[in-house]
Amino acid sequence: MVYELLKENAKHNRAHPTQAEAIMWQLLKGKQLGISFRRQHIIGEYIADFACLECKLVIEIDGGYHTSQQQQETDMLRTRWLNDYGFKVVRFTNEEVTNTTETVMKRIKEYLNNRT
């Protein structure tokens, strides 16, 4: 039951990305970094904005509501859960993606180059 709901939410999110998510997808899709990313991918009870299963990397793009205390606590629990399952979580704000795209891509490439 939960999976079906997550599946519908992921499908909706793929069809209606934020501006920052659309920009990020243009930079990640088609193995442009030499690896395959999925967008709005279900991992456990969560939907990752972008995930590379091969290198166990999750990229999250955070909108303004992520600044609330409650959402930060939720994000921390989510990150901890993903870390426990071997995923590295990298977070960027919408503004970082839209305004400093080169810096965002540099951080992603650094992680990919330094993974073991």
Side-chain angles (χ1 to χ4, degrees):
M1 191 80 161
V2 171
Y3 179 78
E4 289 302 318
L5 180 60
L6 289 170
K7 189 173 159 182
E8 284 302 313
N9 286 342
K11 183 177 177 181
H12 179 270
N13 292 346
R14 280 191 296 274
H16 302 92
T18 65
Q19 179 186 10
E21 289 170 343
I23 290 168
M24 183 60 71
W25 183 237
Q26 290 302 311
L27 298 168
L28 297 177
K29 72 179 183 178
K31 292 189 175 185
Q32 293 182 70
L33 296 178
I35 54 174
S36 181
F37 279 89
R38 298 174 183 209
R39 63 185 172 137
Q40 301 300 324
H41 183 71
I42 299 168
I43 303 173
E45 293 185 9
Y46 298 105
I47 302 172
D49 289 336
F50 302 95
C52 174
L53 301 180
E54 174 187 337
C55 63
K56 301 211 73 150
L57 174 64
V58 168
I59 298 172
E60 291 292 319
I61 311 299
D62 295 342
Y65 70 95
H66 285 270
T67 59
S68 76
Q69 182 66 32
Q70 182 179 4
Q71 188 60 47
Q72 287 180 358
E73 291 171 10
T74 300
D75 289 345
M76 185 180 65
L77 292 172
R78 172 190 174 109
T79 297
R80 187 176 301 140
W81 187 92
L82 288 163
N83 290 163
D84 288 346
Y85 282 86
F87 288 89
K88 165 74 174 168
V89 178
V90 179
R91 292 185 169 279
F92 300 102
T93 65
N94 284 343
E95 292 76 19
E96 285 176 304
V97 174
T98 58
N99 298 330
T100 61
T101 307
E102 290 179 17
T103 303
V104 167
M105 292 308 293
K106 181 179 177 185
R107 280 187 51 202
I108 293 169
K109 289 174 184 176
E110 285 173 358
Y111 171 78
L112 294 174
N113 290 334
N114 293 324
R115 65 189 165 109
T116 54

